């Protein structure tokens, strides 16, 4: 069994302990609240003041992605043909192991022992850094957020802002302890510390690695967006540039990519555009003063083809990785990304992680959802995330179609199934429903006292209060029945 498979096959029975730990971390809660409030406010203000038809733009974005997914096989072939004609070398990786091996072999062929990385969630997905370290190759993160968490050996907490759970005072301590820098807390001074540190790394590196925001089939080019300049350095100042691209990142044309770029920055950070837009269409040409001598693009599948073939869940592949569903999630902003125990946290993580890594191992993630629907409301490409999470809950309970990766290995919870069967029977019978409400009305207070001693109520009542039904009971029952049966 490979290291990647071993990681994916871990059981996550301790995720509740992780959640409780994060909930009790007051500094984390404070940091998350501050950052999430800022990101949501910036997005709302920008959409209100800069866009005349934001909803119309969302529909265009949705149509661009759905159109690309409907002809993905053709677009992938066209992208490979045009990119190859441009001098780019295309590699196909069906699994994380395949992708890691390709990257390592490229480094080995060039006698390279250090790779500088721009931000890439795909590289996190395949656990590239850990793989390379075992092979004797050092991977250095150059994105500021990624650098911070690499120094303290943590994974990203957010798919856009990897170190959003740390405030400037905590970052100052990290730089002091890990980089031997003077203790600072001003953002400008912290940025300068990181800049001085990374400039030394950039001085003579040979291989740079990046992710891909959009791959344009007609042009055989990739579009990368970022705000720090490290992405441009990582892809132009090296001899060899390697990009990891999920196959779902393909779009047909520059016009299509432009629509998605117009949605991405406002949704991610509430800015009209990113500072750097890097469009890479070839290696360095004769007479050009910069750019890599070689460009390699790894097209990563890792069960994306299975998701694409699913009549329900294929819509999750429309994601443009803006992270706005995380920013608006009332669960994520209380516990942060690490509590999800997955590369991809938040609502989008709850949808794609069980499908990429296995429903048996990652099905617990769908519990971390209140089903409030905010994620669906704010998604810039209108992915029905709340609906897909509900569908995955059905799959986890063995009441779905059984088509999700590793769902065949799930053992149904007999007690849970029996309990839901009885609840359904009561909830669909007016007579039994009235009796149940009357029972709760008269004996609810007794239940509150003895709930910690009753196995079925002990865990539930640990975090919730039993409801109190007051007033005219018959009237309230009729009102509830009217809502349920109308």
């Amino acid at each position: 069994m490979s290291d990647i498979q071993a990681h994916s096959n871990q059981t996550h029975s301790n995720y509740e302990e992780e959640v409780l730990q994060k909930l009790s971390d007051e500094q984390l809660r404070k940091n998350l609240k501050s950052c999430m409030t800022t990101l949501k406010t910036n997005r709302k203000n920008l959409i209100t003041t800069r866009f005349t038809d934001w909803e119309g733009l969302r529909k265009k974005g949705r149509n661009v992605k759905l159109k690309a997914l409907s002809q993905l096989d053709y677009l992938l072939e066209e992208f490979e043909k045009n990119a190859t004609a441009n001098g780019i070398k295309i590699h196909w990786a069906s699994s994380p192991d395949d992708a890691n091996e390709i990257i390592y072999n490229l480094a080995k062929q060039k006698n390279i022992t250090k790779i500088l990385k721009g931000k890439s969630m795909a590289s996190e997905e395949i656990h590239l850094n850990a793989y390379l370290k075992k092979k004797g190759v050092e991977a250095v993160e150059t994105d500021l957020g990624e650098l911070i968490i690499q120094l303290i050996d943590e994974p990203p907490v957010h798919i856009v802002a990897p170190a959003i759970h740390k405030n400037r005072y905590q970052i100052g301590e990290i730089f002091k302890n890990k980089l031997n820098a003077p203790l600072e807390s001003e953002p400008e001074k912290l940025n300068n510390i990181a800049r001085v540190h990374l400039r030394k790394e950039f001085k003579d590196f040979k291989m740079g690695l990046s992710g891909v925001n959009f791959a344009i089939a007609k042009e055989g080019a990739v579009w990368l967006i970022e705000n720090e300049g490290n992405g441009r350095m990582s892809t132009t100042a090296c001899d060899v540039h390697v990009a990891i691209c999920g196959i779902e990142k393909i779009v047909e044309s520059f016009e299509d990519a432009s629509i998605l770029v117009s949605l991405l920055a406002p949704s991610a950070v509430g800015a009209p555009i990113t500072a750097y837009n890097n469009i890479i269409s070839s290696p360095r040409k004769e007479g050009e003063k910069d750019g890599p001598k070689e460009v390699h693009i790894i097209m990563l599948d890792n069960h994306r083809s299975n998701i694409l073939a699913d009549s329900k869940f294929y819509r999750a592949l429309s994601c443009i990785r803006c992270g706005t569903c995380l920013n608006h999630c009332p669960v994520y902003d209380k516990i942060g990304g690490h509590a999800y125990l997955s590369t991809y946290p938040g609502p989008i993580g709850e949808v794609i992680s069980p499908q990429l890594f296995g429903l048996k191992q990652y099905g617990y993630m769908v519990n971390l959802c209140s089903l409030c629907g905010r994620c669906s409301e704010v998604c810039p490409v209108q992915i029905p995330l709340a609906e897909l999470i509900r569908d995955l809950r059905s799959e986890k309970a063995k009441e779905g179609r059984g088509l999700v990766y590793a769902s065949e290995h799930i053992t149904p919870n007999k007690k849970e199934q029996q309990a839901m069967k009885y609840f359904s029977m009561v909830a669909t019978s007016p007579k039994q429903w009235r009796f149940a409400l009357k029972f709760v009305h008269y004996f609810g207070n007794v239940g509150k006292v003895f709930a910690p001693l009753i196995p079925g109520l002990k865990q539930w009542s640990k975090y919730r209060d039993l409801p109190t039904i007051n007033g005219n009971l018959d009237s309230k029952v009729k009102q509830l029945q009217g809502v349920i049966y109308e």
Side-chain angles (χ1 to χ4, degrees):
M1 180 183 293
S2 71
D3 291 337
I4 301 302
Q5 288 173 324
H7 179 86
S8 296
N9 288 337
Q10 291 177 4
T11 58
H12 291 292
S13 59
N14 63 333
Y15 86 93
E16 292 181 354
E17 296 176 10
E18 290 286 334
V19 170
L20 291 175
Q21 180 183 348
K22 302 306 180 186
L23 285 173
S24 63
D25 188 336
E26 294 185 8
Q27 187 62 62
L28 172 69
R29 298 278 299 275
K30 184 177 180 180
N31 293 349
L32 288 171
K33 182 179 180 180
S34 174
C35 292
M36 297 298 102
T37 299
T38 299
L39 291 172
K40 288 187 291 186
T41 302
N42 289 349
R43 172 189 175 276
K44 181 179 179 180
N45 291 341
L46 182 73
I47 290 173
T48 302
T49 58
R50 294 289 294 270
F51 290 87
T52 57
D53 187 13
W54 175 254
E55 291 305 312
L57 186 60
R58 289 179 71 205
K59 290 179 182 178
K60 288 183 179 180
R62 177 197 63 190
N63 292 337
V64 163
K65 288 298 298 185
L66 293 180
K67 178 182 69 172
L69 293 174
S70 71
Q71 52 181 339
L72 190 60
D73 52 350
Y74 164 74
L75 293 180
L76 287 170
E77 291 179 357
E78 185 178 23
F79 175 76
E80 180 181 31
K81 180 186 70 174
N82 292 330
T84 301
N86 291 341
I88 296 173
K89 297 179 182 180
I90 302 297
H91 307 263
W92 297 92
S94 62
S95 68
D97 287 336
D98 292 342
N100 286 331
E101 187 174 351
I102 291 168
I103 296 168
Y104 170 68
N105 286 335
L106 287 172
K108 186 178 179 181
Q109 291 168 12
K110 307 294 182 182
N111 294 317
I112 290 171
T113 58
K114 180 184 291 186
I115 300 175
L116 267 60
K117 295 176 60 191
K119 189 176 183 304
S120 167
M121 287 305 296
S123 74
E124 298 287 345
E125 176 185 329
I126 64 176
H127 303 286
L128 175 64
N129 291 12
Y131 178 93
L132 292 177
K133 185 176 181 180
K134 288 186 176 181
K135 296 288 187 177
V137 177
E138 181 183 8
V140 178
E141 300 288 354
T142 64
D143 173 86
L144 179 57
E146 293 281 359
L147 169 64
I148 292 166
I149 61 172
Q150 185 178 44
L151 290 173
I152 55 177
D153 196 26
E154 286 187 0
V157 78
H158 191 284
I159 62 176
V160 173
I164 204 168
H165 59 309
K166 299 294 184 184
N167 63 32
R168 56 195 177 102
Y169 302 102
Q170 292 171 305
I171 294 169
E173 291 286 350
I174 292 171
F175 284 174
K176 177 179 179 292
N177 295 331
K178 300 297 183 178
L179 299 180
N180 296 318
L183 183 61
E184 301 288 355
S185 61
E186 294 302 319
E188 293 81 3
K189 293 181 179 180
L190 294 173
N191 280 330
N192 188 60
I193 291 172
R195 184 183 298 112
V196 170
H197 168 72
L198 289 173
R199 283 287 174 174
K200 297 175 184 177
E201 301 287 354
F202 279 123
K203 189 175 181 180
D204 56 1
F205 80 115
K206 300 298 181 183
M207 180 181 285
L209 185 137
S210 74
V212 171
N213 290 101
F214 307 105
I216 300 129
K218 284 186 176 181
E219 305 296 334
V222 293
W223 193 333
L224 285 70
I225 63 175
E226 43 116 358
N227 281 313
E228 299 173 18
N230 67 297
R232 180 164 292 182
M233 289 285 288
S234 299
T235 59
T236 61
C238 53
D239 291 336
V240 181
H241 169 213
V242 179
I244 309 175
C245 179
I247 58 174
E248 81 283 8
K249 297 296 183 73
I250 294 283
V251 295
E252 184 174 7
S253 64
F254 270 125
E255 289 77 12
D256 287 346
S258 297
I259 291 172
L260 299 178
V261 168
S262 299
L263 288 162
L264 179 51
S267 300
V269 293
I273 194 171
T274 53
Y276 295 90
N277 283 268
N278 307 315
I279 298 173
I280 298 170
S281 58
S282 72
R284 184 192 307 182
K285 296 179 180 179
E286 186 176 350
E288 293 181 339
K289 295 183 179 181
D290 63 4
K293 297 176 182 177
E294 298 179 18
V295 177
H296 299 261
I297 300 177
I298 299 169
M299 305 303 298
L300 177 66
D301 189 328
N302 194 26
H303 301 293
R304 286 165 171 81
S305 293
N306 295 338
I307 301 174
L308 181 65
D310 192 287
S311 59
K312 285 186 177 181
F313 297 118
Y314 77 94
R315 290 173 290 184
L317 295 178
S318 294
C319 177
I320 59 175
R321 300 293 191 268
C322 68
T324 198
C325 61
L326 283 69
N327 302 343
H328 289 78
C329 177
V331 177
Y332 177 91
D333 74 3
K334 303 298 187 300
I335 62 176
H338 290 161
Y340 291 80
L341 301 177
S342 173
T343 300
Y344 300 107
I348 186 60
E350 292 167 39
V351 174
I352 64 174
S353 293
Q355 299 184 80
L356 293 177
F357 311 125
L359 184 61
K360 179 176 174 60
Q361 292 78 26
Y362 288 83
Y364 67 90
M365 291 183 68
V366 297
N367 297 341
L368 300 173
C369 175
S370 67
L371 294 179
C372 68
R374 289 185 192 176
C375 50
S376 301
E377 292 180 11
V378 299
C379 175
V381 288
Q382 299 184 326
I383 303 172
L385 290 166
E387 175 187 330
L388 298 182
I389 291 171
R390 285 195 298 269
D391 289 339
L392 280 167
R393 285 184 170 182
S394 296
E395 298 290 340
K396 181 189 170 203
K398 297 296 283 187
E399 294 184 356
R401 297 163 299 147
L403 301 178
V404 178
Y405 171 49
S407 61
E408 68 274 15
H409 301 301
I410 293 177
T411 302
N413 187 321
K414 298 295 185 181
K415 292 182 179 179
E416 182 181 82
Q417 288 183 332
Q418 193 68 19
M420 294 308 297
K421 179 180 178 180
Y422 285 132
F423 174 78
S424 176
M425 183 174 64
V426 172
T428 54
S429 167
K431 184 176 181 179
Q432 294 187 53
W433 185 250
R434 287 170 62 86
F435 175 80
L437 288 178
K438 287 183 177 180
F439 183 86
V440 172
H441 173 68
Y442 291 116
F443 298 100
N445 290 331
V446 177
K448 291 179 182 180
V449 175
F450 291 99
L453 304 177
I454 302 174
L457 291 176
K458 181 178 180 180
Q459 191 70 9
W460 191 90
S461 63
K462 186 176 180 180
Y463 304 108
R464 304 171 180 87
D465 291 328
L466 289 172
T468 299
I469 301 177
N470 296 314
N472 187 321
L473 185 60
D474 289 332
S475 174
K476 288 185 177 294
V477 170
K478 290 178 181 179
Q479 290 176 10
L480 286 169
Q481 287 177 337
V483 172
I484 295 171
Y485 301 110
E486 67 179 358

